[in-house]
Amino acid sequence: MLSPAHIAVNDISYLFNTDITVAVLRLDQLHPDIPGNKWFKLRYYLQEAIAGQKKNIITFGGAWSNHIIATAAACRMHGLQSTGIIRGEEPSQFSTTLLQAKEWGMQLVFLSRSDYSNKYIPPALLTPDSYIIPEGGYGGQGAEGAARIADHCPEGFTHYCCAVGTGTTMAGLINATTNLQKVIGISVMKNNTGLEKMTGALVKPGKDNWQLIHDYHFGGYARYSPELLTFMNDFYTRTGIPSDFVYTGKLFYAVTNLVQHNFFAAGSRLLLIHSGGLQGNNSLRKGMLIF
Ligand SMILES: *Cc1c(COP(=O)(O)O)cnc(C)c1O
């Protein structure tokens, strides 16, 4: 298993005219092929599959999915076969994500949007040596893996801030922090009313040191505005830190906005989790981002 010896933490407090400390945990730099939180989320699923002598990992995602590409890369590293069940009919031109996943040996199976939303798995794929990882790595093993992110966080932070899709990464962070620390999750979806419940289901009893914020989705999942892209370009110019428009761009925007509106008490020390996902920017027209 990959064991990242050192993950950089960049102090970006100079962006803010306050006494609040803001730093970024660079999980985007973890591994060239498996960036970010996906590596952590996959770890215990793969361990379980290998221990159970499973040979083929099946999982789900869209055409630009970070989870799909991370699964393809991780399975290849571990000598496992992988199958990606992809949302939507087979396109005439594959996304760079799907091309890469295929190159890494992932079998791609395309499902209509309705079959996909019913989590239909073609019966031929369901052999005794197949192992299913839920969409986005959502689940107990995913949260347990995500909790290991805390092993790479320096001490002394009062707040951990992350972008939230399924809530698995956030749940892991909640479970790994003390009740004196707070985990702030920025939902990247619009009106995702079930998210509190989904996240809560993975959180250990007695933990209430967390809050989800739903105001920074920019229109919904994988939606963006010119303002978001301008922010991301500006953030890169000032910090040298690239972000993705689906997750971490919204996280950095949100935290910047919250700091400006005095959401955090004086003296707070924030650690922002850069969960990676930069490959998703390939879905944007060239030139929209400067990095
Ligand atoms: C998948 C992903 C997330 C969301 O993680 P969840 O555990 O599903 O909430 C956040 N950031 C990036 C870059 C991702 O790829």
Side-chain angles (χ1 to χ4, degrees), residues 13 16-23 155-159 180 259 262-271:
S13 306
F16 306 93
N17 203 7
T18 65
D19 70 344
I20 290 177
T21 300
V22 185
E155 285 179 17
F157 288 98
T158 58
H159 295 77
L180 296 175
V259 169
N262 301 317
F263 177 87
F264 299 100
S268 294
R269 297 174 56 82
L270 321 183
L271 184 64

Side-chain angles (χ1 to χ4, degrees), residues 53-236:
Q53 318 256 306
K54 305 294 185 187
K55 303 259 171 342
N56 184 34
I57 306 296
I58 301 174
T59 198
F60 308 83
W64 296 99
S65 166
N66 295 323
H67 172 66
I68 285 289
I69 198 140
T71 303
C75 286
R76 179 167 169 265
M77 272 174 62
H78 290 109
L80 293 161
Q81 291 164 7
S82 63
T83 302
I85 297 185
I86 310 300
R87 182 177 59 236
E89 307 296 342
E90 179 162 352
S92 53
Q93 198 173 358
F94 280 20
S95 65
T96 50
T97 308
L98 295 183
L99 286 174
Q100 184 64 265
K102 205 172 154 188
E103 197 183 307
W104 285 335
M106 181 176 258
Q107 177 192 6
L108 301 176
V109 176
F110 293 88
L111 284 191
S112 69
R113 282 170 193 267
S114 62
D115 277 349
Y116 185 91
S117 62
N118 293 327
K119 298 279 173 304
Y120 173 78
I121 303 177
L125 294 177
L126 291 171
T127 60
D129 62 5
S130 60
Y131 179 92
I132 297 169
I133 299 181
E135 185 177 25
Y138 176 79
Q141 294 95 322
E144 218 181 299
R148 301 267 62 83
I149 292 173
D151 299 346
H152 304 278
C153 300
E155 285 179 17
F157 288 98
T158 58
H159 295 77
Y160 292 73
C161 306
C162 64
V164 180
T166 65
T168 310
T169 303
M170 182 173 185
L173 289 169
I174 296 165
N175 291 337
T177 46
T178 72
N179 274 340
L180 296 175
Q181 297 168 313
K182 190 148 188 194
V183 183
I184 306 287
I186 306 300
S187 172
V188 301
M189 286 175 218
K190 189 175 174 178
N191 302 332
N192 191 0
T193 49
L195 191 54
E196 264 82 3
K197 213 170 158 190
M198 270 181 75
T199 307
L202 303 179
V203 168
K204 286 195 261 184
K207 303 234 58 166
D208 60 359
N209 58 324
W210 56 287
Q211 180 179 354
L212 277 162
I213 294 179
H214 296 272
D215 305 328
Y216 297 96
H217 54 73
F218 288 87
Y221 184 71
R223 301 289 181 91
Y224 60 91
S225 66
E227 188 190 359
L228 178 64
L229 301 189
T230 302
F231 171 85
M232 288 164 60
N233 282 331
D234 185 51
F235 188 82
Y236 178 75

Side-chain angles (χ1 to χ4, degrees), residues 37-38 41 66 136 163-170 244 247-248 275-277:
N37 61 341
K38 296 300 183 283
K41 289 205 287 183
N66 295 323
V164 180
T166 65
T168 310
T169 303
M170 182 173 185
D244 78 293
Y247 293 102
T248 55
S275 39

